[in-house]
Amino acid sequence: MADSSQTSRSRQLQVETHGLDVIADAERKGTPSTLFWPWFGANVSILGLSYGAFALGFGISFWQALVAGVIGIVFSFLLCGFIAVAGKRGSAPTMVLSRAAYGVRGNRLPSVISWVLTVGWETVLTSLATMATATVFSRLGWGGGTETKVVALILVGALTVVGGVMGFDLIMRLQTVITVVTGVLTIVYIALVADHIHWSTVSAVPAGSAQEFIGALVFMMTGFGLGWVNAAADYSRYLPRSSSGRGVVGWTTFGASVAPLFLLVFGLLLAGSSSTLNKAVAADPIGALTTILPTWFLVPFAVVAVLGLVGGAVLDIYSSGLALLSAGLRVPRYLAALVDGVLMIAGSVYIVFFADDFLGQFMGFLTTLGVPIAAWSGIMLADLALRRRDYDEGDLFRPHGRYGDVQPTPLLLTLAATAIGWGLVTNTAASWLSWQGYLLDPLGLGGKSGAWAYANLGVLIALALGFLGTLALGRNRVRRQEEQAASPEAVAAV
């Protein structure tokens, strides 16, 4: 028994060799409940508190922000839960399973979009961890300037890259530790700052319009579940085929949602109690939260902040490497993760040392990429709902197999939904996105300065068009695919 345990531990410390290949039945293990750990660990970040300030920034009341947050978080992670079912039905990464809808090489377009999104997220999380560390050191009188930021960026970047390169087993082990440590310290943080909540001030925040409510709702969706849908099956693919589909959906949704919901409520109470804190969060979402802490808890706060953000970044860099391979790069998975790590550090250098407005760029990033990802998500969900059989794993790698090389209908649907969606979103804080919102005036929605300008309807429209369009146009394609005889074993990954 001891020898077996030692062997298991040793195996967890090895670099994962799996890339796009199918996970063999002999290597599939665990139960749906094990999905709780990676999803909880990736979403227990202190950043969840800052979303309270982000939501109130739309000009809505506490209750409106709470409803928008609950619906946006739970619904968007429910989408992740449904897509996670594809993992146990196909044993391959999310962006390989997507080939069943788009074709083997046609799927390279959504793979590139997925790769950009995950690299962007890991860059954002690494930058926030760096800035939070610098803020803590500054308050303690230990520096906090350029040198501190450089060292912090190197350490956070190293933790993230090592986790992404090592792969699944180490990530699962790491996320369990992050969950426990971060969960406990977050509770302590909340207890220490609870006296800064003033309900009379919070309840006096005026209500906003329906358009502002929708804008906050969409922002919550893009900030949480829609930032993970393209990676939702990357961990469930290791579960046995006999695993409960309902269990996969339930544990994914619960594990990912529970911490953000709790943190959002408290974040709303804090931000609603102090306009100063509310504004400070826009510039430094994590560091601003230290301003109400006693000095003795600053170091534990730095630990909880960094670990929580690293937990999300590790999952992102793992999935971004898989997306890069699915986009056509022919290198081992660990090298793809390493490439993404280099890009992540370069992007973090820009955000930490050169960018002036974090929140504006962040919102622009989320809404811009949120539109094509929402379109892909709708197509993937509808394609999965139309299927009555598990994926033919061999044909996921054959351009001339049942799934084809390029499927024009899903690709055109993605492009059309994205074009319409970008015409219905705006972000004036990011100058490089000023071209968006071109449909608001022609459709009578008040133009780029009207009431609907910041509702970000484009994300919801893209999701709906992708889903309904695939249900209407993809039924015959799926039926033809499933009528074909089973193929031989999976070939080398392409």
Side-chain angles (χ1 to χ4, degrees):
M1 184 70 176
D3 291 341
S4 175
S5 177
Q6 182 63 41
T7 301
S8 176
R9 286 194 295 271
S10 298
R11 185 169 61 249
Q12 290 177 357
L13 296 178
Q14 294 176 356
V15 175
E16 181 188 357
T17 57
H18 288 301
L20 300 185
D21 51 313
V22 172
I23 305 301
D25 287 343
E27 297 183 63
R28 302 179 72 161
K29 55 193 176 183
T31 63
S33 62
T34 59
L35 293 173
F36 173 85
W37 299 107
W39 287 111
F40 185 91
N43 291 284
V44 71
S45 168
I46 285 289
L47 179 62
L49 291 171
S50 300
Y51 273 85
F54 297 160
L56 292 177
F58 280 85
I60 56 180
S61 69
F62 167 83
W63 292 110
Q64 287 178 310
L66 180 62
V67 173
V70 170
I71 295 175
I73 290 170
V74 175
F75 176 70
S76 62
F77 279 126
L78 187 61
L79 301 183
C80 291
F82 285 128
I83 290 179
V85 174
K88 72 111 177 175
R89 292 178 62 179
S91 318
T94 313
M95 298 314 298
V96 170
L97 299 170
S98 178
R99 292 174 175 178
Y102 286 87
V104 174
R105 284 188 286 191
N107 190 62
R108 289 181 178 178
L109 173 62
S111 292
V112 169
I113 296 171
S114 172
W115 174 69
V116 174
L117 178 65
T118 46
V119 170
W121 262 113
E122 67 204 42
T123 300
V124 166
L125 296 176
T126 300
S127 302
L128 288 174
T130 301
M131 291 190 292
T133 303
T135 300
V136 168
F137 273 56
S138 178
R139 279 205 61 196
L140 290 170
W142 298 349
T146 300
E147 292 181 356
T148 301
K149 292 177 180 178
V150 169
V151 173
L153 179 56
I154 291 173
L155 292 177
V156 172
L159 279 172
T160 303
V161 172
V162 168
V165 168
M166 293 297 288
F168 178 79
D169 283 331
L170 181 60
I171 287 174
M172 294 295 282
R173 191 172 180 179
L174 179 64
Q175 294 297 72
T176 302
V177 174
I178 288 176
T179 295
V180 174
V181 175
T182 307
V184 171
L185 291 179
T186 299
I187 292 173
V188 175
Y189 173 88
I190 289 173
L192 289 173
V193 301
D195 61 339
H196 288 269
I197 294 174
H198 307 290
W199 176 246
S200 59
T201 305
V202 175
S203 59
V205 176
S209 65
Q211 294 92 334
E212 290 167 332
F213 171 82
I214 294 172
L217 169 65
V218 174
F219 181 75
M220 288 295 172
M221 290 177 58
T222 55
F224 288 99
L226 284 181
W228 288 109
V229 286
N230 54 312
D234 291 354
Y235 305 94
S236 55
R237 67 182 175 133
Y238 285 88
L239 292 175
R241 296 180 189 277
S242 58
S243 300
S244 165
R246 290 184 179 180
V248 170
V249 174
W251 282 106
T252 298
T253 306
F254 175 67
S257 299
V258 62
L261 287 173
F262 181 74
L263 292 169
L264 172 69
V265 173
F266 200 77
L268 285 171
L269 292 172
L270 283 176
S273 299
S274 170
S275 58
T276 302
L277 178 63
N278 199 346
K279 294 177 182 178
V281 166
D284 186 358
I286 304 296
L289 298 173
T290 68
T291 59
I292 55 177
L293 275 176
T295 304
W296 66 266
F297 191 71
L298 288 175
V299 171
F301 176 85
V303 172
V304 69
V306 170
L307 282 181
L309 294 166
V310 166
V314 166
L315 261 66
D316 275 318
I317 196 171
Y318 179 76
S319 293
S320 69
L322 294 174
L324 186 57
L325 296 180
S326 183
L329 183 66
R330 294 176 176 270
V331 297
R333 182 205 59 80
Y334 61 87
L335 285 182
L338 193 59
V339 169
D340 290 346
V342 173
L343 294 175
M344 173 193 75
I345 292 174
S348 298
V349 168
Y350 170 75
I351 292 176
V352 172
F353 297 102
F354 300 103
D356 296 325
D357 175 23
F358 171 82
L359 183 57
Q361 306 298 324
F362 180 51
M363 292 179 69
F365 164 72
L366 287 182
T367 54
T368 300
L369 287 184
V371 170
I373 283 296
W376 170 87
S377 179
I379 291 170
M380 183 70 177
L381 287 165
D383 183 82
L384 182 62
L386 290 172
R387 296 188 182 278
R388 297 294 176 264
R389 298 169 56 184
D390 287 349
Y391 294 96
D392 187 305
E393 295 161 354
D395 279 351
L396 288 170
F397 301 93
R398 295 187 181 90
H400 301 294
R402 74 183 64 213
Y403 302 123
D405 188 11
V406 176
Q407 294 288 350
T409 301
L411 282 170
L412 291 174
L413 188 57
T414 301
L415 294 174
T418 299
I420 294 172
W422 278 341
L424 295 171
V425 299
T426 60
N427 192 299
T428 55
S431 59
W432 53 283
L433 298 174
S434 60
W435 55 271
Q436 294 178 349
Y438 44 79
L439 293 178
L440 290 168
D441 191 44
L443 293 179
L445 297 175
K448 297 182 181 181
S449 59
W452 288 99
Y454 302 105
N456 291 326
L457 285 176
V459 176
L460 297 177
I461 296 298
L463 177 64
L465 287 175
F467 185 78
L468 296 176
T470 302
L471 287 182
L473 303 174
R475 193 175 303 274
N476 290 334
R477 170 181 54 83
V478 172
R479 185 180 297 114
R480 288 194 301 269
Q481 291 174 353
E482 295 195 330
E483 285 175 349
Q484 297 183 34
S487 69
E489 294 298 319
V491 297
V494 296

